[in-house]
Amino acid sequence: MSDTAAKDLLIKKQLIDDILGSEDGVVKKASTATSKATRTQIREEGFQRAILSFDMITNEDLDYFGDSELPGVWYELEPDSPPARIIPYNDTPNTFAYRAEKYVVLLAVITTEEATKNVNQLRTYKTDIRQIVNDNMLRDIHTAEDTSFIAEVDRIVGAAVAYGAATVTSQHVTMTNATFTRTALKRAVSYLIERQLPIGVMLINQRTANEFIGWKREEMGGDLSQDLARKGLKALETFEMFGVPFISTIKNGLIANGAMYQFAPREFLGNALMLEDITVTIKKEYDIIRMRAQEQVGLTIGNTLGLQKLAYSMQGIEDY
């Protein structure tokens, strides 16, 4: 028997021993089996957490909502005030009443389906597929977060308005025939600024991000255009354009080609809360293993003006 075959046999034995040696209930022991599985797709971490990260809370932080049993927390928006003015001597200032608008962050459970497997069917595997399923469940939770988040963003920005008819309050603008060029993107960085809000981050998909690779020397400047052609986006030390960080995602089902989402910084946007972090429960009952993951989180965009969506033309995409 070769050294490789002997090692594989040892790994397989350790995997089964780890499972069968556990008492019925939660299996806490990590398997020593190495990964020999071939991945079929990329599963990335969530972009929502990079835009509006979660704050951990406890039961003591929850607010009371009358007859409702739903857990949540109240927050206040910054109160507005009239502008200061110059007054003559012996005059008195006007008075005004101030109040803060409130919004609530309600919590909900995000869970995966429960995976089951007979222990005896694991005997032929050289890989601890439990760990692979475990890792995939964590990414699936992140995808559920992103799906809910971007659906709420799309609801807030509303229907698209043509560029020529857009105003400062238009939050979803179709950039007509504008493609993803430097000249066309110059306008993009002004929408939130015109609402007196800073830009925190921009979100696009990976296909749209690759448009930067096609920027010519006069657009990108210097030898960076050459480096982008040779190394792709890895040529950029940080994915940042016009002084604004970019996030690119492979989740094309959520972020369409040519779509650009803009978000104000966290302190100008809203709140995301986490009562229970992602927990993977693995239970063994006789020769059956059950596994699922869940978390308890909530998110509310308190300042709805801190969002902007732009739709750029991706002409010729079918030729790539």
Coordinates of all heavy atoms in Angstrom, one line a residue, residues 101-165:
E101 N -37.8 62.0 14.4 CA -38.5 60.9 13.9 C -37.9 59.6 14.4 O -36.7 59.5 14.6 CB -38.5 60.9 12.4 CG -39.1 62.2 11.7 CD -40.6 62.2 12.0 OE1 -41.2 61.1 12.1 OE2 -41.2 63.3 12.0
K102 N -38.7 58.6 14.6 CA -38.3 57.3 15.1 C -38.5 56.2 14.1 O -39.4 56.3 13.2 CB -39.0 57.0 16.4 CG -38.7 57.9 17.5 CD -39.5 57.5 18.8 CE -39.2 58.5 20.0 NZ -39.9 58.0 21.2
Y103 N -37.6 55.2 14.2 CA -37.8 54.0 13.4 C -37.4 52.8 14.2 O -36.7 52.9 15.2 CB -37.0 54.0 12.1 CG -35.5 54.1 12.2 CD1 -34.8 52.9 12.2 CD2 -34.9 55.3 12.4 CE1 -33.4 53.0 12.3 CE2 -33.5 55.4 12.5 CZ -32.8 54.2 12.4 OH -31.4 54.3 12.6
V104 N -37.9 51.6 13.9 CA -37.7 50.4 14.7 C -36.9 49.4 13.9 O -37.1 49.3 12.6 CB -39.0 49.8 15.2 CG1 -39.9 49.4 14.0 CG2 -38.8 48.7 16.2
V105 N -36.1 48.7 14.5 CA -35.4 47.5 13.9 C -35.9 46.3 14.5 O -35.8 46.0 15.7 CB -33.8 47.6 14.1 CG1 -33.2 46.4 13.5 CG2 -33.3 48.9 13.6
L106 N -36.7 45.5 13.7 CA -37.3 44.3 14.2 C -36.4 43.1 13.9 O -35.8 43.1 12.8 CB -38.7 44.1 13.6 CG -39.8 45.1 14.0 CD1 -41.0 44.8 13.3 CD2 -40.0 45.0 15.5
L107 N -36.3 42.1 14.7 CA -35.4 41.0 14.5 C -36.2 39.8 13.9 O -37.4 39.7 14.2 CB -34.8 40.6 15.9 CG -34.0 41.6 16.5 CD1 -33.5 41.2 17.9 CD2 -32.7 42.0 15.7
A108 N -35.5 39.0 13.2 CA -36.1 37.8 12.6 C -35.1 36.7 12.5 O -33.9 37.0 12.7 CB -36.7 38.1 11.2
V109 N -35.5 35.5 12.3 CA -34.6 34.3 12.2 C -34.3 34.0 10.8 O -35.3 34.0 10.0 CB -35.2 33.1 12.9 CG1 -34.4 31.9 12.7 CG2 -35.5 33.3 14.4
I110 N -33.1 33.9 10.5 CA -32.7 33.4 9.1 C -32.1 32.0 9.4 O -31.2 31.8 10.2 CB -31.6 34.3 8.5 CG1 -32.2 35.7 8.2 CG2 -31.1 33.6 7.2 CD1 -31.2 36.6 7.6
T111 N -32.6 31.0 8.7 CA -32.2 29.6 8.9 C -32.0 28.9 7.6 O -32.6 29.3 6.5 CB -33.3 28.9 9.7 OG1 -32.8 27.5 10.0 CG2 -34.6 28.8 9.0
T112 N -31.2 27.9 7.6 CA -31.0 27.0 6.4 C -32.0 25.8 6.6 O -32.6 25.6 7.6 CB -29.6 26.5 6.3 OG1 -29.3 25.7 7.5 CG2 -28.6 27.6 6.3
E113 N -32.1 25.0 5.5 CA -32.8 23.8 5.6 C -31.9 22.8 6.5 O -30.7 23.0 6.7 CB -33.0 23.1 4.3 CG -33.8 24.0 3.3 CD -35.3 24.2 3.8 OE1 -35.8 23.3 4.4 OE2 -35.8 25.3 3.5
E114 N -32.6 21.8 7.1 CA -31.9 20.8 7.9 C -31.3 19.7 7.0 O -32.0 19.1 6.3 CB -32.8 20.2 8.9 CG -32.1 19.3 9.9 CD -32.9 18.8 11.0 OE1 -33.8 17.9 10.7 OE2 -32.8 19.3 12.1
A115 N -30.0 19.5 7.1 CA -29.3 18.5 6.3 C -29.2 17.2 7.1 O -28.9 17.3 8.3 CB -27.9 18.9 5.9
T116 N -29.6 16.1 6.6 CA -29.5 14.8 7.3 C -28.6 13.8 6.5 O -28.5 13.9 5.3 CB -30.9 14.2 7.5 OG1 -31.5 13.9 6.2 CG2 -31.8 15.1 8.3
K117 N -27.9 12.9 7.2 CA -27.1 12.0 6.6 C -26.9 10.8 7.5 O -26.8 10.9 8.7 CB -25.7 12.6 6.3 CG -24.9 11.7 5.3 CD -25.4 11.7 3.9 CE -24.5 10.9 3.0 NZ -25.1 10.8 1.6
N118 N -27.0 9.6 6.9 CA -26.7 8.4 7.7 C -25.2 8.2 7.8 O -24.4 8.3 6.8 CB -27.3 7.1 7.0 CG -27.2 5.9 7.8 OD1 -26.1 5.4 8.1 ND2 -28.4 5.4 8.1
V119 N -24.7 8.0 9.0 CA -23.3 7.9 9.3 C -22.6 6.8 8.4 O -21.5 7.0 7.9 CB -23.1 7.6 10.8 CG1 -21.6 7.3 11.1 CG2 -23.5 8.7 11.7
N120 N -23.3 5.7 8.2 CA -22.7 4.6 7.5 C -22.5 5.0 6.0 O -21.6 4.4 5.4 CB -23.6 3.4 7.5 CG -23.8 2.9 9.0 OD1 -22.8 2.5 9.6 ND2 -25.0 2.8 9.5
Q121 N -23.2 6.0 5.5 CA -23.0 6.4 4.1 C -21.8 7.3 4.0 O -21.3 7.6 2.9 CB -24.2 7.1 3.6 CG -25.4 6.2 3.5 CD -26.7 7.0 3.1 OE1 -26.8 8.1 3.4 NE2 -27.6 6.3 2.4
L122 N -21.2 7.7 5.1 CA -20.0 8.6 5.1 C -18.7 7.7 5.0 O -17.6 8.3 4.9 CB -19.9 9.5 6.3 CG -21.0 10.5 6.5 CD1 -20.9 11.2 7.8 CD2 -20.9 11.5 5.3
R123 N -18.8 6.4 5.2 CA -17.6 5.6 5.3 C -16.8 5.6 4.0 O -15.6 5.3 4.0 CB -18.1 4.2 5.6 CG -18.7 4.0 7.0 CD -19.1 2.6 7.3 NE -19.8 2.4 8.5 CZ -19.2 2.4 9.7 NH1 -17.9 2.4 9.8 NH2 -19.9 2.3 10.8
T124 N -17.4 5.9 2.9 CA -16.7 5.8 1.6 C -16.1 7.2 1.2 O -15.4 7.3 0.2 CB -17.7 5.4 0.5 OG1 -18.7 6.4 0.4 CG2 -18.2 4.0 0.7
Y125 N -16.3 8.2 2.1 CA -15.8 9.5 1.7 C -14.4 9.7 2.3 O -14.1 9.4 3.5 CB -16.7 10.6 2.3 CG -18.0 10.8 1.5 CD1 -19.2 10.1 1.9 CD2 -18.1 11.6 0.4 CE1 -20.3 10.2 1.2 CE2 -19.3 11.7 -0.3 CZ -20.4 11.0 0.1 OH -21.6 11.1 -0.6
K126 N -13.5 10.3 1.5 CA -12.2 10.7 2.0 C -12.3 12.1 2.6 O -11.3 12.6 3.3 CB -11.2 10.7 0.9 CG -11.0 9.3 0.3 CD -10.0 9.3 -0.8 CE -9.9 7.9 -1.4 NZ -9.0 7.9 -2.6
T127 N -13.3 12.8 2.3 CA -13.5 14.2 2.8 C -14.6 14.3 3.9 O -15.6 13.6 3.8 CB -13.9 15.1 1.6 OG1 -12.8 15.1 0.6 CG2 -14.0 16.6 2.1
D128 N -14.3 15.1 4.9 CA -15.4 15.4 5.8 C -16.4 16.3 5.2 O -16.3 17.5 5.3 CB -14.8 16.0 7.1 CG -15.9 16.2 8.2 OD1 -17.0 15.9 7.9 OD2 -15.5 16.6 9.3
I129 N -17.4 15.7 4.5 CA -18.4 16.5 3.8 C -19.3 17.3 4.7 O -19.9 18.3 4.3 CB -19.2 15.7 2.8 CG1 -20.0 14.6 3.6 CG2 -18.4 15.1 1.7 CD1 -21.0 13.9 2.7
R130 N -19.3 17.0 6.0 CA -20.0 17.8 7.0 C -19.4 19.2 7.0 O -20.2 20.2 7.1 CB -19.9 17.1 8.4 CG -20.6 15.8 8.6 CD -20.4 15.3 10.0 NE -19.0 15.4 10.3 CZ -18.5 15.4 11.6 NH1 -19.3 15.4 12.6 NH2 -17.2 15.4 11.8
Q131 N -18.1 19.3 7.0 CA -17.5 20.6 7.1 C -17.8 21.4 5.8 O -18.0 22.6 5.9 CB -16.0 20.4 7.2 CG -15.2 21.7 7.5 CD -15.7 22.5 8.7 OE1 -15.8 21.8 9.8 NE2 -16.0 23.7 8.6
I132 N -17.8 20.7 4.7 CA -18.2 21.5 3.4 C -19.6 22.0 3.5 O -19.9 23.1 3.2 CB -18.0 20.5 2.2 CG1 -16.5 20.1 2.1 CG2 -18.4 21.2 0.9 CD1 -16.2 19.1 1.0
V133 N -20.5 21.1 3.9 CA -21.9 21.5 4.1 C -22.0 22.7 5.1 O -22.8 23.6 4.9 CB -22.8 20.3 4.5 CG1 -24.2 20.8 4.8 CG2 -22.8 19.3 3.3
N134 N -21.3 22.5 6.2 CA -21.2 23.6 7.2 C -20.8 24.9 6.6 O -21.5 25.9 6.8 CB -20.3 23.1 8.3 CG -20.2 24.1 9.4 OD1 -20.9 25.1 9.5 ND2 -19.2 23.9 10.3
D135 N -19.7 24.9 5.9 CA -19.2 26.2 5.2 C -20.2 26.7 4.3 O -20.4 28.0 4.2 CB -17.9 25.9 4.5 CG -16.7 25.6 5.5 OD1 -16.9 25.8 6.7 OD2 -15.7 25.0 5.0
N136 N -20.8 25.9 3.5 CA -21.8 26.3 2.5 C -23.0 26.9 3.2 O -23.6 27.9 2.7 CB -22.3 25.2 1.6 CG -21.2 24.8 0.6 OD1 -20.3 25.5 0.4 ND2 -21.4 23.6 0.0
M137 N -23.4 26.4 4.4 CA -24.6 26.9 5.1 C -24.3 28.3 5.6 O -25.1 29.2 5.6 CB -24.9 26.0 6.3 CG -25.6 24.8 6.0 SD -26.0 23.8 7.5 CE -27.1 22.6 6.8
L138 N -23.0 28.6 6.0 CA -22.7 29.9 6.5 C -22.8 30.9 5.3 O -23.3 32.0 5.5 CB -21.2 30.0 7.0 CG -20.9 29.0 8.2 CD1 -19.5 29.2 8.6 CD2 -21.9 29.3 9.4
R139 N -22.3 30.5 4.1 CA -22.5 31.4 3.0 C -23.9 31.6 2.5 O -24.3 32.6 2.1 CB -21.6 30.9 1.8 CG -20.1 30.7 2.1 CD -19.5 32.0 2.4 NE -18.0 31.9 2.5 CZ -17.4 31.6 3.7 NH1 -18.2 31.5 4.8 NH2 -16.1 31.5 3.8
D140 N -24.7 30.5 2.7 CA -26.1 30.6 2.3 C -26.9 31.6 3.3 O -27.8 32.3 2.8 CB -26.8 29.2 2.4 CG -26.3 28.3 1.3 OD1 -25.8 28.8 0.3 OD2 -26.4 27.1 1.5
I141 N -26.5 31.6 4.5 CA -27.0 32.6 5.4 C -26.7 34.0 5.0 O -27.5 34.9 4.9 CB -26.5 32.4 6.9 CG1 -27.1 31.1 7.5 CG2 -26.9 33.6 7.8 CD1 -28.5 31.2 7.9
H142 N -25.4 34.2 4.6 CA -25.0 35.5 4.1 C -25.8 35.9 2.8 O -26.2 37.1 2.6 CB -23.5 35.5 3.7 CG -22.6 35.6 4.9 ND1 -21.3 36.0 4.9 CD2 -22.9 35.4 6.2 CE1 -20.8 36.0 6.1 NE2 -21.7 35.6 6.9
T143 N -26.0 34.9 1.9 CA -26.8 35.2 0.7 C -28.2 35.6 1.1 O -28.8 36.5 0.4 CB -26.8 34.0 -0.2 OG1 -25.5 33.7 -0.6 CG2 -27.6 34.3 -1.5
A144 N -28.8 35.0 2.1 CA -30.2 35.4 2.5 C -30.2 36.8 3.0 O -31.1 37.5 2.8 CB -30.7 34.4 3.6
E145 N -29.1 37.2 3.8 CA -29.0 38.5 4.3 C -29.0 39.5 3.1 O -29.7 40.5 3.1 CB -27.8 38.7 5.1 CG -27.8 37.9 6.4 CD -26.4 38.0 7.1 OE1 -25.4 38.5 6.5 OE2 -26.3 37.4 8.2
D146 N -28.1 39.2 2.1 CA -28.0 40.1 0.9 C -29.3 40.2 0.1 O -29.6 41.3 -0.3 CB -26.9 39.6 0.0 CG -25.5 39.7 0.7 OD1 -25.3 40.4 1.7 OD2 -24.5 39.0 0.2
T147 N -30.0 39.1 0.0 CA -31.2 39.1 -0.8 C -32.3 40.0 -0.1 O -32.9 40.8 -0.8 CB -31.8 37.6 -0.9 OG1 -30.8 36.8 -1.5 CG2 -33.1 37.6 -1.7
S148 N -32.4 39.9 1.2 CA -33.4 40.7 1.9 C -33.0 42.2 1.9 O -33.8 43.1 1.7 CB -33.5 40.2 3.4 OG -34.3 41.0 4.1
F149 N -31.7 42.4 2.0 CA -31.1 43.8 2.0 C -31.4 44.5 0.7 O -31.9 45.6 0.6 CB -29.7 43.7 2.4 CG -29.0 45.1 2.3 CD1 -29.3 46.1 3.2 CD2 -28.0 45.3 1.4 CE1 -28.7 47.3 3.2 CE2 -27.3 46.6 1.3 CZ -27.7 47.6 2.2
I150 N -31.0 43.8 -0.4 CA -31.1 44.5 -1.7 C -32.5 44.6 -2.1 O -32.9 45.6 -2.9 CB -30.2 43.8 -2.8 CG1 -29.7 44.8 -3.8 CG2 -31.0 42.6 -3.4 CD1 -28.7 45.7 -3.2
A151 N -33.4 43.7 -1.7 CA -34.8 43.9 -2.0 C -35.4 45.1 -1.3 O -36.2 45.8 -1.9 CB -35.6 42.6 -1.5
E152 N -35.0 45.4 -0.1 CA -35.4 46.5 0.6 C -34.9 47.8 0.0 O -35.6 48.8 -0.1 CB -35.0 46.5 2.1 CG -35.4 47.7 3.0 CD -36.9 47.9 3.1 OE1 -37.7 47.0 2.7 OE2 -37.3 48.9 3.7
V153 N -33.6 47.8 -0.5 CA -33.0 48.9 -1.1 C -33.8 49.2 -2.4 O -34.2 50.4 -2.7 CB -31.6 48.7 -1.4 CG1 -31.0 49.8 -2.4 CG2 -30.7 48.6 -0.2
D154 N -34.1 48.2 -3.2 CA -34.9 48.4 -4.5 C -36.3 48.9 -4.2 O -36.8 49.7 -5.0 CB -35.0 47.1 -5.2 CG -33.7 46.7 -5.9 OD1 -32.9 47.6 -6.2 OD2 -33.5 45.5 -6.2
R155 N -36.9 48.5 -3.1 CA -38.2 49.0 -2.7 C -38.1 50.5 -2.4 O -39.0 51.3 -2.8 CB -38.8 48.3 -1.5 CG -40.2 48.7 -1.2 CD -40.6 48.1 0.2 NE -39.8 48.7 1.3 CZ -40.1 49.9 1.8 NH1 -41.1 50.6 1.3 NH2 -39.4 50.4 2.8
I156 N -37.1 50.9 -1.7 CA -36.9 52.3 -1.3 C -36.6 53.2 -2.5 O -37.2 54.3 -2.6 CB -35.8 52.5 -0.2 CG1 -36.3 51.8 1.1 CG2 -35.5 53.9 0.0 CD1 -35.2 51.7 2.1
V157 N -35.7 52.8 -3.4 CA -35.3 53.7 -4.5 C -36.4 53.8 -5.5 O -36.5 54.8 -6.3 CB -34.0 53.2 -5.1 CG1 -32.9 53.3 -4.1 CG2 -34.1 51.9 -5.8
G158 N -37.3 52.8 -5.6 CA -38.5 52.9 -6.4 C -38.2 52.7 -7.9 O -37.1 52.2 -8.3
A159 N -39.1 53.1 -8.7 CA -39.0 52.9 -10.2 C -38.0 53.8 -10.8 O -37.7 54.9 -10.3 CB -40.4 53.1 -10.9
A160 N -37.4 53.3 -11.9 CA -36.3 54.1 -12.6 C -36.9 55.3 -13.3 O -38.0 55.3 -13.8 CB -35.6 53.2 -13.6
V161 N -36.1 56.4 -13.2 CA -36.4 57.6 -13.9 C -35.3 57.9 -15.0 O -34.1 57.7 -14.7 CB -36.4 58.8 -12.9 CG1 -36.7 60.1 -13.7 CG2 -37.5 58.6 -11.9
A162 N -35.6 58.3 -16.1 CA -34.6 58.6 -17.2 C -33.7 59.8 -16.7 O -34.2 60.7 -16.0 CB -35.3 59.0 -18.5
Y163 N -32.5 59.7 -17.1 CA -31.5 60.7 -16.7 C -32.0 62.1 -17.0 O -31.8 63.0 -16.1 CB -30.2 60.5 -17.4 CG -29.1 61.5 -17.1 CD1 -28.5 61.5 -15.9 CD2 -28.8 62.5 -18.0 CE1 -27.5 62.4 -15.6 CE2 -27.8 63.4 -17.8 CZ -27.2 63.4 -16.5 OH -26.2 64.3 -16.3
G164 N -32.6 62.4 -18.1 CA -33.0 63.7 -18.5 C -34.1 64.3 -17.6 O -34.3 65.5 -17.5
A165 N -34.9 63.4 -17.0 CA -36.0 63.8 -16.2 C -35.7 63.7 -14.7 O -36.6 64.0 -13.9 CB -37.3 62.9 -16.5

